[in-house]
Amino acid sequence: MFDYLIVGAGFAGSVIAERLAHSAGKRVLVIDKRNHIGGNAYDHYNDAGILVHRYGPHIFHTNSQEIFEYLSRFTEWRPYQHRVLAHVDGQLLPIPINLTTINQLYGLNLNSFEMEEFLNKVAEKREPLCTSEDVVVNRVGRELYEKFFQNYTRKQWGIDPSELDAAVTARVPVRTNRDDRYFSDKFQAMPRFGYTRMFENMLDHPNIKIMLNTDFREIAKEMNFQEMIYTGPVDEFFDYRYGKLPYRSLEFKHETHDVEKYQPVAVVNFPNEHLYTRVTEFKYLTGQEHPKTSIVYEYPRAEGDPYYPVPRPENAKLYSKYKALADSLSNVHFIGRLATYKYYNMDQVVGQALALFKKLSAQRSRTAAPDPLPVKLAPRLFANNGNGAHVATPG
Ligand code: FAD
Ligand code: UDP
């Protein structure tokens, strides 16, 4: 008997499950079609014993003390500042573009003030800043845009930056000092024992049961539920009634090399060469010491698991139709990157889940209605499979 069915065991599903179970005493069933918890943030030790992120590099960063403190209940942290180099014109240069990038690229010796003057000369002022091309060309001009952004973006998204919302490339700042960190957030750290361990701690509650390898559509008809939290793709939930919402996919090629260190920083971006966008070496992120090293290449794909919503006006329009459908269902709540079609980082998804919990709590205290009728569910046995907390096995 469950109060809530939660579809998806990623950040969105796990945070709301934890809150409902721990803080509201609700009994929740979390299902995921994958064979693990953690969603795209899942990490695991590979055959060589190296901790890797199955779905590409995940670096935690946030400006929200509330979100950082919330997650700190489930993990200790390893301080980590992310650094990235881009392979441009045969050199490895800091990205975000900073003073070092410009000086090294052009063989100059500018100071911050002179770099600002340089940028003012090369920038092509645009108003308003609508697209991902506008935002970069407006700040650093066409040449730097072409070297660092245009081809990377075409590769990653399958379309030109001029067809993508400004917010996509605006994620990457431009700095006139030597700060070469990828993120500027107040809190930047990695879960000390990995993301999966953090999720295990989050979900380790007697009121939370987990069923893996289970697609929502396989069991939906077997169950009566009072309320559902859905974190999968929103168009799929409604059987693509208005057509498919584009999600960009990736193929990950993992390798382990018999050397201690493979590249000079955690991530090297390749805007202009190769079919992959970037190469990540995990030991930089995790701090693990090991005589071998594991890396991952990311190959953008049109088909495959949905990883990125594609922010552009026509998709926002289509999403708004699905959102209207979603809003019309009072007992199903849509949160997360796929269900709300938002290019959210992990902390934003945590924030969204915490906000939903507050909303549900406020509703409950307003109506003070008796608890929902028990759900009808095919009988299941629950066991611990060591891959999450309590996992349902076919009854
Ligand atoms: P997900 O993690 O996608 O979880 C949704 C879950 O729902 C999945 O496990 C899926 O299997 C399950 N599901 C879907 N449909 C069904 C169904 N029908 N039945 C059952 N289960 C279903 N964020 C950062 O903050 N920092 C980073 O460095 C960072 N790097 C990233 C790198 C890559 C390559 C990608 C793709 C994302 C990155 N992100 C990063 C974003 C981060 O992954 C997301 O913000 C976060 O994981 C989203 O959590 P979620 O719960 O919304 O979705
Ligand atoms: N980007 C780029 N060149 C780079 C890095 C980023 O053109 O060297 C653009 C690209 O469009 C990318 C977007 O900026 O998709 C956001 O970059 P971010 O690193 O935040 O992407 P994510 O980690 O989410 O894949």
Side-chain angles (χ1 to χ4, degrees):
M1 309 285 177
F2 297 99
D3 299 313
Y4 283 87
L5 169 66
I6 299 181
V7 180
F11 266 101
S14 299
V15 169
I16 193 72
E18 187 280 331
R19 287 290 71 211
L20 287 166
H22 189 95
S23 196
K26 298 294 176 188
R27 294 199 288 183
V28 304
L29 172 62
V30 182
I31 66 165
D32 203 298
K33 62 183 179 186
R34 290 170 167 164
N35 65 356
H36 58 74
I37 57 173
N40 287 339
Y42 173 72
D43 56 12
H44 69 111
Y45 285 89
N46 65 13
D47 290 345
I50 298 171
L51 184 60
V52 300
H53 299 180
R54 179 169 293 174
Y55 307 99
H58 279 71
I59 297 102
F60 186 78
H61 56 103
T62 189
N63 281 316
S64 163
Q65 185 156 345
E66 184 195 348
I67 289 167
F68 191 69
E69 281 176 1
Y70 170 72
L71 291 177
S72 303
R73 297 180 197 178
F74 313 106
T75 187
E76 291 171 26
W77 298 96
R78 168 180 185 259
Y80 171 72
Q81 304 273 356
H82 191 47
R83 288 183 169 81
V84 180
L85 294 173
H87 189 255
V88 169
D89 290 354
Q91 299 195 66
L92 287 176
L93 303 168
I95 178 92
I97 290 174
N98 69 6
L99 183 57
T100 315
T101 314
I102 298 299
N103 281 337
Q104 248 175 268
L105 179 65
Y106 294 116
L108 297 170
N109 192 19
L110 306 180
N111 59 33
S112 292
F113 178 73
E114 290 163 338
M115 175 169 168
E116 197 61 62
E117 283 184 333
F118 172 91
L119 291 182
N120 285 339
K121 259 186 235 142
V122 294
E124 279 175 28
K125 285 296 162 196
R126 297 203 177 170
E127 181 66 38
L129 300 179
C130 296
T131 73
S132 268
E133 179 188 292
D134 292 340
V135 87
V136 181
V137 167
N138 178 68
R139 181 74 176 114
V140 300
R142 179 151 290 276
E143 184 168 302
L144 290 164
Y145 162 74
E146 284 174 359
K147 286 183 191 295
F148 288 87
F149 286 89
Q150 187 170 34
N151 296 330
Y152 186 112
T153 302
R154 284 180 174 168
K155 202 168 18 172
Q156 170 74 6
W157 299 95
I159 50 179
D160 192 76
S162 60
E163 296 177 89
L164 270 175
D165 287 359
V168 175
T169 51
R171 288 166 62 89
V172 183
V174 174
R175 303 198 184 102
T176 52
N177 57 20
R178 289 196 175 79
D179 183 356
D180 62 349
R181 296 169 311 152
Y182 204 69
F183 307 110
S184 323
D185 301 56
K186 194 160 149 199
F187 303 96
Q188 304 187 34
M190 297 291 289
R192 187 172 291 283
F193 308 106
Y195 288 96
T196 302
R197 181 72 74 84
M198 181 179 79
F199 280 101
E200 283 170 358
N201 291 338
M202 204 180 273
L203 293 168
D204 184 14
H205 190 282
N207 285 5
I208 300 178
K209 309 296 175 204
I210 302 170
M211 266 170 92
L212 300 176
N213 298 308
T214 307
D215 194 303
F216 158 64
R217 285 161 301 190
E218 289 173 59
I219 60 153
K221 290 206 178 83
E222 285 182 50
M223 313 175 66
N224 289 326
F225 52 86
Q226 198 67 30
E227 300 217 26
M228 189 200 312
I229 316 267
Y230 180 82
T231 77
V234 62
D235 57 344
E236 190 180 305
F237 184 89
F238 293 106
D239 293 326
Y240 310 102
R241 193 178 305 178
Y242 301 126
K244 273 195 142 191
L245 261 175
Y247 292 90
R248 192 74 175 154
S249 191
L250 291 171
E251 197 177 314
F252 301 99
K253 191 170 157 245
H254 287 267
E255 286 178 357
T256 297
H257 290 259
D258 205 357
V259 291
E260 218 172 314
K261 196 197 256 189
Y262 182 81
Q263 60 187 28
V265 280
V267 172
V268 177
N269 287 357
F270 292 91
N272 307 313
E273 304 97 11
H274 309 299
L275 294 172
Y276 47 85
T277 49
R278 58 186 179 190
V279 181
T280 299
E281 183 167 3
F282 291 105
K283 279 162 56 182
Y284 284 99
L285 313 185
T286 59
Q288 188 179 358
E289 289 182 15
H290 196 287
K292 296 186 181 184
T293 196
S294 292
I295 60 171
V296 68
Y297 298 84
E298 292 173 54
Y299 291 85
R301 296 277 184 259
E303 301 297 328
D305 279 359
Y307 292 123
Y308 292 82
V310 183
R312 58 192 304 212
E314 66 206 68
N315 298 348
K317 205 165 146 204
L318 180 55
Y319 168 64
S320 69
K321 292 171 78 175
Y322 281 112
K323 182 170 186 309
L325 283 181
D327 290 345
S328 71
L329 300 178
S330 59
N331 62 345
V332 187
H333 308 279
F334 294 77
I335 50 168
R337 177 148 145 151
L338 304 172
T340 59
Y341 204 68
K342 295 278 181 309
Y343 187 179
Y344 274 165
N345 294 325
M346 295 181 280
D347 64 321
Q348 293 169 296
V349 172
V350 173
Q352 205 184 29
L354 294 177
L356 173 63
F357 178 68
K358 283 179 195 156
K359 189 176 125 191
L360 294 175
S361 306
Q363 271 170 9
R364 263 198 311 276
S365 59
R366 258 203 316 276
T367 55
D371 265 355
L373 290 171
V375 295
K376 184 180 115 261
L377 174 67
R380 308 256 166 197
L381 295 173
F382 292 93
N384 191 316
N385 78 343
N387 203 8
H390 307 275
V391 177
T393 56

